[in-house]
Amino acid sequence: MERISPPLTGDERETLRTFLDYHRATLAWKCEGLTDEQLRRASMPPSTLSLLGLVRHMAEVERHWFRRVLDSEELPHVWSDTHDFQAAYDASGSSRAEAFTAWQDEVAHARRIEAAAESLDVTAYVPSWKEEASLRLVMLHLIHEYARHNGHADFLREGIDGTTGA
């Protein structure tokens, strides 16, 4: 994924779309050049958090918000039979190919769903909130989710090989 800086003067939708893609690309960039073993390396006990776990988790998040919520698809979680978003963090048996393929597939679905939406004001029912939410809010939520986890990715990557920078 190419990391393109968000526009300084773009309209709201372009700005949200580009910020979301920027954060997606940041997560991919934090994983570049690492082996599967390095990507699975946990931060510190007792945490099992790893870069590969973050990629898997974000695949679940993309799938949930864009496909389940906005597109009303009835889909299972990728890595959990009990609808547990946390299960994706356990990447102990995962590989770069498995995790990144799932994540990139979900990002592609999300982009198609967002592009097809008439406006940022399109709403969908969020069962866990028992309320409607707009595409605007969903995109902001995903930006927040990526930004938070990219902070984790910064520390994980530095702990693996000393690489820093965002």
Side-chain angles (χ1 to χ4, degrees):
M1 270 186 211
E2 184 180 354
R3 210 167 79 136
I4 298 172
S5 294
L8 299 178
T9 58
D11 68 24
E12 182 183 17
R13 192 161 186 175
E14 178 187 9
T15 301
L16 290 172
R17 181 183 295 139
T18 310
F19 257 105
L20 184 51
D21 278 341
Y22 177 84
H23 280 292
R24 289 167 172 152
T26 298
L27 181 58
W29 176 57
K30 288 296 176 181
C31 297
E32 278 183 9
L34 297 177
T35 66
D36 283 8
E37 179 184 336
Q38 289 171 314
L39 289 169
R40 285 190 299 266
R41 189 175 301 162
S43 58
M44 62 198 288
S47 176
T48 60
L49 186 65
S50 68
L51 286 167
L52 207 54
L54 288 175
V55 171
R56 288 166 43 112
H57 175 71
M58 292 312 300
E60 292 284 22
V61 169
E62 296 266 5
R63 181 181 185 94
H64 175 74
W65 284 102
F66 285 97
R67 294 179 70 185
R68 281 196 204 101
V69 172
L70 290 172
D71 219 28
S72 301
E73 289 184 56
E74 294 201 20
L75 299 168
H77 281 241
V78 179
W79 292 285
S80 172
D81 294 333
T82 60
H83 307 289
D84 179 7
F85 283 92
Q86 305 307 309
Y89 286 127
D90 180 7
S92 57
S94 188
S95 68
R96 171 192 292 275
E98 178 241 4
F100 272 82
T101 296
W103 179 54
Q104 290 166 344
D105 286 351
E106 294 305 329
V107 167
H109 281 291
R111 285 182 177 137
R112 283 192 295 276
I113 292 164
E114 182 272 322
E118 184 179 311
S119 76
L120 292 173
D121 295 322
V122 167
T123 63
Y125 184 74
V126 183
S128 60
W129 294 351
K130 295 180 175 68
E131 291 187 51
E132 294 279 318
S134 68
L135 172 58
R136 176 184 295 102
L137 183 113
V138 168
M139 292 179 76
L140 284 168
H141 180 72
L142 268 281
I143 290 166
H144 163 81
E145 186 89 1
Y146 272 104
R148 185 167 63 98
H149 289 313
N150 282 338
H152 298 139
D154 286 339
F155 287 120
L156 288 163
R157 181 62 189 253
E158 184 176 8
I160 292 167
D161 65 1
T163 298
T164 59

